[in-house]
Amino acid sequence: MAGIVRKSFDSPEEVRPFEGGTGQLEVVDLDGELGRATFQPGWQWSKHVKPIAQTESCQAAHAAYVISGRMKVVMDDGEEAEIGPGDVLDIPPGHDAWVIGQEPCVMIDWRGFAGYAKR
């Protein structure tokens, strides 16, 4: 039996900054990567992660919980959703997203950040 494993986003194993100083992803590994992303006002996937990912839209599937802030998600097929604090998400690959308003959007993702914004 492995015992208790304790890690903290206050000392993540990896920090991946987004383009233009618009936020970052902090990663810890608990038998798979778990990420806390902070998206600053003005952040948009197609402007601040697309240059890193080099894909036309976000190809990560996300299973996440929104802690604070708001974000709009638009799928490649046009489906849209606005997400905010307390929302639990399942977002398939093929989308763009951006922060709504002047508050950072902070979320925890336990599926989609393994290679997200990785240089």
Side-chain angles (χ1 to χ4, degrees):
M1 187 171 216
I4 296 171
V5 175
R6 180 181 176 272
K7 297 191 178 186
S8 173
F9 284 119
D10 293 332
S11 55
E13 292 157 325
E14 186 178 0
V15 177
R16 301 177 192 159
F18 302 141
E19 295 287 311
T22 57
Q24 66 185 18
L25 171 63
E26 299 152 312
V27 179
V28 296
D29 189 351
L30 288 175
D31 197 22
E33 291 182 328
L34 179 68
R36 176 177 67 183
T38 302
F39 305 96
Q40 296 296 332
W43 176 90
Q44 183 169 359
W45 185 91
S46 56
K47 294 177 184 173
H48 302 105
V49 180
K50 181 179 179 176
I52 301 167
Q54 298 183 1
T55 57
E56 284 304 307
S57 61
C58 180
Q59 295 303 304
H62 301 284
Y65 173 75
V66 181
I67 297 169
S68 61
R70 303 199 70 72
M71 187 175 282
K72 175 113 181 213
V73 179
V74 178
M75 301 301 300
D76 290 349
D77 68 5
E79 180 183 1
E80 300 180 4
E82 187 173 316
I83 61 175
D87 287 345
V88 177
L89 316 167
D90 187 4
I91 302 172
H95 57 272
D96 192 7
W98 55 90
V99 173
I100 298 171
Q102 295 306 309
E103 179 183 358
C105 182
V106 179
M107 68 176 66
I108 305 292
D109 190 324
W110 53 91
R111 182 175 59 202
F113 284 160
Y116 193 86
K118 193 167 193 158
R119 296 175 194 271

